[in-house]
Amino acid sequence: MAPRFTYSRWDGTQRGFDLDADLLFDQLTDELLYHGDVNAALRRMMQEGMRDADGNPLDGLRDMLDRLRQERQDRLERHDLGGVYDEISRELDDIVDEERHAIENAVRAAETSGDERRSEAARNTAAERNMRLDMMPSDLAGKVRELGSYDFESAEAQQRFEQMMDRLRDQLMQQAVDQLSDGMQNMSPQDMQRMKDMLAALNEMLEKHQRGEDPGFEQFMDEFGDFFPENPESVEELLEQMARRMAAMQAMLNSMTPEQRAQMQQLAEQLMEDMDLQWQMDQLGSNLQQMFPQMNWGQSYDFEGQDPMGMAQAMQAMADLGDLDQLEHLLQNATNPGALAEADMDRVRDLLGDDAARALERLSQLTKMLEEAGLIENKEGRLELTPRGLRAIGSNALRDLFTKLTKDHVGQHELHQHGQGHERTYQTKPYEFGDPFQLDLHRTIRNALRRAGAGTPVELQPDDFEIERTEHLTRSSTVLMLDLSMSMPMRDNFLPAKKVAMALHHLISSQFPRDYLGLVGFSETARVITAEQLPEVSWDFVYGTNMHHGFTLARQLLAKQTGAKQIIMITDGEPTAHITPHGDVYFNYPPVRETVEATLREVVRCTREQIRINTFVLDATSALTAFIERLTQINGGRAFYTTNEALGDYVLVDFLEHRRRMTRRRAG
């Protein structure tokens, strides 16, 4: 069945494909080149963020953590936790005032009845009740305890007190056992007993889990699943939910003043007067603290605002702050994009907004998008570039450099020289004396028909002949010598140099496939680098710039090649190391005569083998300039003194000019 699509008019609110693997990989190119490690580059992008297809920024973890911390600080500066205590105290005071008013009304009604005995009894009862109210303790728990045994005159006041106690009891129980359903609002004795049975079964299940035994989670959920509407799928998920809420309750107590905390704890004891229930709750809290120590049960918050919070609002605020802490912990400890998928995106959206959730969701998909696009792959737990990824990096590097060249008005770099040879250009020309007779039969016959008209036989004349154009075949063999000493990253030269290496490799492999490109990295010693290794190459944490060894390896590589041979060397330092006749590495700074002479002897060998050395010098000093002048005088190559910003311009333009000169000489 053919797929069906539905289209609607753009109204400015719909989102398109704001990020794809190619766009993402474009933004990763510099990081991949600099770090030489897919994992490190992805971690960096996670921290710094990225841009969507429209160029709009998507926050990284650094910005997200700043926003998270600011959100937490705003909440602390806005609210006053003392409102929990004050709300209950004010409501109790209102209940007492309503009771006093009812006592006065009862005395007034008795006195207006004209019955002296009734009036006297009413005054005595009023005096006794007022005395109990006057003697009521000032602390919160004391008020609750006294009113719990008080004989109310006002039925309305008594009802308000009982409702308040039920509400507070429900709120405490809700936090303790993750109870969110309406079934707990007015617990009957049977409900209370079932609650205790659930807690006892929960503690038993938790202890079995800690001992490594089968906790019987399925049986527990069959019997008590209605207590947990979030439908946890495992005992670990269930216990973590409960631990998070109990930790939030503990954080609220920790954040109170000592006086407020004592009052709330006593109030809890008053509300949870059932000793068995209290014991089960204490046992559950102890077990959860041992099982989830990372919940930071000692966490407290310094509320500095003026907006008082009630009990329910305070508990929600603590849950929000706890979730912010958990999210902060997740973001700080995420070592790869996949770890971010553990975040509850709906919760992130509630806490930090849609933009933060969208950015975090995109960050969590980085690895998956690149793997599905075939740009990276997981090899034994380590992310590595695929062959397609290697080509993409080189293509991106070359594009970036040529884009800069275009902006600098250097011009196009395509070759237009034509002549005799073996490579077809798929263009034709009229035959001239001396041309190879590679006849284009189709165009030749068309010319004859155009001249003589239709009909057979077709008679050909020399002016009808049209031959294929050919391009001269030229082969260039190049070795790129890349300085990997510590001075390169210290002076911000490493990334531009490595980008040039990747761009040059891609240019040769894609545009000049018959050419040869070898790669040699040099620092204290030199080593041959394969194309597959190039993206992962990084600088060496050693001292020394061993051009002597680098020229030796480059010369050995070019000895096996044909065509015009050249070495392109990118460096920012003098030769400070060489290989001794015994095969040891000798290093000294400033350079000693032995090192300079060993290096120049290798330059002489390259010159004898007709290898041209072109040097691109970054951050040239007078001593480095003097050495490069001696090198070029011996070899006949050229030296370019440039900056890391213009390095790519110089290298690519010089390489292409070298190819043009080769083509012209061959044509001549």
Side-chain angles (χ1 to χ4, degrees):
M1 187 174 180
R4 299 181 65 184
F5 303 92
T6 301
Y7 298 88
S8 62
R9 182 180 296 275
W10 176 262
D11 62 9
T13 62
Q14 303 98 326
R15 288 192 180 275
F17 300 99
D18 56 359
L19 195 66
D20 60 26
D22 292 333
L23 175 63
L24 175 60
F25 205 71
D26 288 350
Q27 299 179 56
L28 267 179
T29 294
D30 281 0
E31 293 296 335
L32 287 168
L33 291 176
Y34 188 81
H35 294 284
D37 179 9
V38 175
N39 301 274
L42 284 173
R43 285 195 296 270
R44 180 82 171 182
M45 176 168 276
M46 283 169 55
Q47 292 295 323
E48 300 296 334
M50 51 195 167
R51 292 186 177 275
D52 62 19
D54 298 324
N56 301 315
L58 294 173
D59 285 348
L61 298 187
R62 185 172 300 168
D63 291 333
M64 208 169 297
L65 283 168
D66 288 342
R67 184 184 300 184
L68 184 152
R69 290 161 183 156
Q70 186 60 50
E71 177 65 25
R72 178 169 52 210
Q73 188 60 34
D74 290 345
R75 291 170 185 253
L76 295 177
E77 292 178 353
R78 185 166 64 248
H79 295 301
D80 174 22
L81 191 57
V84 175
Y85 176 84
D86 295 339
E87 177 193 44
I88 301 173
S89 294
R90 284 195 299 270
E91 189 164 0
L92 287 175
D93 289 342
D94 288 343
I95 291 172
V96 170
D97 288 342
E98 185 172 351
E99 172 64 12
R100 290 185 185 277
H101 186 65
I103 293 172
E104 292 177 2
N105 288 340
V107 172
R108 189 178 300 109
E111 289 177 346
T112 57
S113 67
D115 187 338
E116 184 59 30
R117 292 179 61 185
R118 179 185 172 189
S119 298
E120 183 177 358
R123 285 193 292 270
N124 291 338
T125 301
E128 180 180 351
R129 285 178 171 153
N130 280 323
M131 182 178 67
R132 287 197 62 180
L133 295 177
D134 292 338
M135 297 295 293
M136 187 175 297
S138 59
D139 63 285
L140 183 63
K143 286 182 180 180
V144 171
R145 182 176 58 253
E146 188 66 27
L147 288 176
S149 60
Y150 176 77
D151 182 18
F152 281 89
E153 173 68 33
S154 169
E156 291 79 5
Q158 182 173 7
Q159 183 180 13
R160 284 185 59 190
F161 176 74
E162 291 173 352
Q163 289 174 346
M164 187 188 77
M165 292 298 99
D166 289 341
R167 186 176 67 254
L168 293 175
R169 185 182 294 109
D170 291 345
Q171 290 172 347
L172 290 173
M173 296 298 294
Q174 175 180 325
Q175 289 296 318
V177 300
D178 196 22
Q179 173 54 264
L180 302 178
S181 66
D182 294 333
M184 291 294 297
Q185 293 304 311
N186 294 295
M187 287 189 296
S188 66
Q190 292 78 13
D191 295 330
M192 183 65 73
Q193 182 58 50
R194 189 163 180 269
M195 170 72 74
K196 290 189 289 185
D197 293 342
M198 184 275 293
L199 288 173
L202 183 60
N203 280 316
E204 181 181 359
M205 182 174 65
L206 193 153
E207 291 170 0
K208 287 182 178 179
H209 179 74
Q210 290 176 320
R211 293 196 299 265
E213 302 174 6
D214 181 7
F217 174 72
E218 291 77 10
Q219 296 88 338
F220 175 84
M221 290 300 294
D222 287 342
E223 186 172 358
F224 300 109
D226 56 307
F227 281 93
F228 308 98
E230 291 180 358
N231 293 321
E233 297 182 357
S234 66
V235 63
E236 291 83 2
E237 185 179 347
L238 166 64
L239 296 175
E240 184 176 356
Q241 292 172 3
M242 297 186 64
R244 183 176 292 111
R245 283 171 171 78
M246 293 193 78
M249 181 65 181
Q250 186 62 49
M252 185 177 74
L253 294 174
N254 297 341
S255 303
M256 290 179 170
T257 64
E259 294 79 11
Q260 292 171 341
R261 184 163 53 250
Q263 292 295 319
M264 287 301 298
Q265 289 173 338
Q266 293 178 35
L267 176 61
E269 293 174 1
Q270 291 290 323
L271 295 170
M272 311 264 299
E273 63 237 3
D274 189 304
M275 296 300 294
D276 187 30
L277 181 60
Q278 182 66 47
W279 184 87
Q280 294 288 359
M281 292 293 296
D282 292 342
Q283 184 72 11
L284 177 61
S286 176
N287 287 333
L288 290 175
Q289 288 190 41
Q290 293 179 19
M291 189 173 181
F292 298 95
Q294 74 277 10
M295 290 293 182
N296 200 1
W297 298 81
Q299 178 67 55
S300 63
Y301 302 97
D302 295 327
F303 288 89
E304 303 171 350
Q306 302 297 320
D307 185 9
M309 294 184 293
M311 173 71 79
Q313 188 181 7
M315 288 184 175
Q316 183 59 51
M318 288 300 166
D320 291 346
L321 290 170
D323 287 344
L324 286 172
D325 290 345
Q326 290 291 318
L327 180 58
E328 181 179 28
H329 180 77
L330 173 65
L331 300 186
Q332 286 176 332
N333 292 278
T335 58
N336 60 78
L340 301 178
E342 297 179 12
D344 183 342
M345 296 302 171
D346 290 335
R347 192 67 177 127
V348 173
R349 189 171 290 104
D350 292 339
L351 295 170
L352 301 178
D354 291 338
D355 289 343
R358 174 171 165 261
L360 187 59
E361 189 172 20
R362 287 299 189 209
L363 289 175
S364 70
Q365 297 171 348
L366 293 182
T367 302
K368 182 179 179 182
M369 290 176 64
L370 295 175
E371 284 184 313
E372 290 179 347
L375 295 167
I376 65 173
E377 59 185 343
N378 193 318
K379 288 187 176 180
E380 299 179 355
R382 176 179 171 81
L383 295 175
E384 297 182 3
L385 291 168
T386 63
R388 181 174 185 268
L390 292 172
R391 292 192 298 272
I393 287 184
S395 175
N396 291 344
L398 183 63
R399 183 199 59 208
D400 289 347
L401 294 180
F402 270 131
T403 298
K404 185 175 184 298
L405 286 172
T406 302
K407 291 179 180 178
D408 292 340
H409 306 291
V410 174
Q412 299 298 317
H413 306 280
E414 298 176 358
L415 295 179
H416 299 290
Q417 179 69 36
H418 301 292
Q420 298 177 2
H422 301 86
E423 186 171 6
R424 297 178 62 189
T425 66
Y426 299 98
Q427 298 178 7
T428 62
K429 65 183 287 288
Y431 171 75
E432 297 176 355
F433 179 77
D435 286 341
F437 197 68
Q438 295 179 351
L439 193 66
D440 186 311
L441 188 60
H442 176 76
R443 289 184 177 272
T444 298
I445 294 175
R446 180 187 295 176
N447 292 339
L449 292 174
R450 184 182 296 116
R451 175 183 54 80
T456 57
V458 177
E459 296 183 1
L460 299 180
Q461 295 184 6
D463 289 342
D464 298 329
F465 294 157
E466 192 157 342
I467 62 170
E468 294 180 353
R469 285 184 184 270
T470 59
E471 205 174 60
H472 282 289
L473 290 180
T474 57
R475 188 173 193 273
S476 174
S477 296
T478 304
V479 170
L480 176 65
M481 282 177 52
L482 185 61
D483 191 342
L484 300 179
S485 63
M486 288 184 63
S487 61
M488 292 288 283
M490 290 173 61
R491 298 170 183 168
D492 294 328
N493 293 330
F494 175 73
L495 178 59
K498 188 175 177 183
K499 180 177 285 189
V500 167
M502 290 295 304
L504 190 60
H505 173 264
H506 186 75
L507 175 65
I508 291 175
S509 62
S510 60
Q511 299 297 320
F512 309 106
R514 294 179 179 83
D515 282 8
Y516 167 79
L517 176 65
L519 301 164
V520 172
F522 64 98
S523 56
E524 182 185 50
T525 59
R527 63 185 185 273
V528 175
I529 301 168
T530 66
E532 293 75 18
Q533 294 171 332
L534 182 57
E536 297 184 358
V537 166
S538 186
W539 63 88
D540 297 326
F541 289 92
V542 292
Y543 294 102
T545 305
N546 199 331
M547 295 180 188
H548 168 244
H549 195 199
F551 285 135
T552 300
L553 294 181
R555 181 172 56 83
Q556 292 172 354
L557 290 174
L558 290 172
K560 305 173 184 178
Q561 304 302 322
T562 60
K565 301 177 182 180
Q566 68 168 333
I567 294 174
I568 297 175
M569 180 172 68
I570 300 174
T571 185
D572 67 354
E574 305 168 63
T576 57
H578 71 281
I579 304 297
T580 69
H582 301 290
D584 300 323
V585 178
Y586 180 84
F587 164 77
N588 193 80
Y589 182 84
V592 296
R593 187 180 66 181
E594 290 82 359
T595 298
V596 174
E597 290 181 351
T599 304
L600 293 178
R601 280 196 299 270
E602 193 57 45
V603 171
V604 171
R605 295 187 183 99
C606 290
T607 305
R608 288 173 180 169
E609 296 181 19
Q610 297 184 334
I611 299 173
R612 184 65 58 87
I613 301 174
N614 292 329
T615 307
F616 296 83
V617 185
L618 301 165
D619 298 318
T621 62
S622 58
L624 176 57
T625 301
F627 170 79
I628 297 299
E629 287 177 354
R630 292 181 62 186
L631 185 156
T632 55
Q633 184 179 10
I634 293 171
N635 179 263
R638 293 179 297 166
F640 300 84
Y641 298 88
T642 182
T643 63
N644 51 29
E645 291 88 357
L647 175 64
D649 304 11
Y650 277 79
V651 174
L652 292 182
V653 170
D654 182 68
F655 176 81
L656 292 169
E657 287 296 333
H658 171 71
R659 293 296 268 97
R660 288 193 182 97
R661 288 193 299 271
M662 290 172 55
T663 302
R664 293 190 191 104
R665 287 197 297 269
R666 186 66 177 268

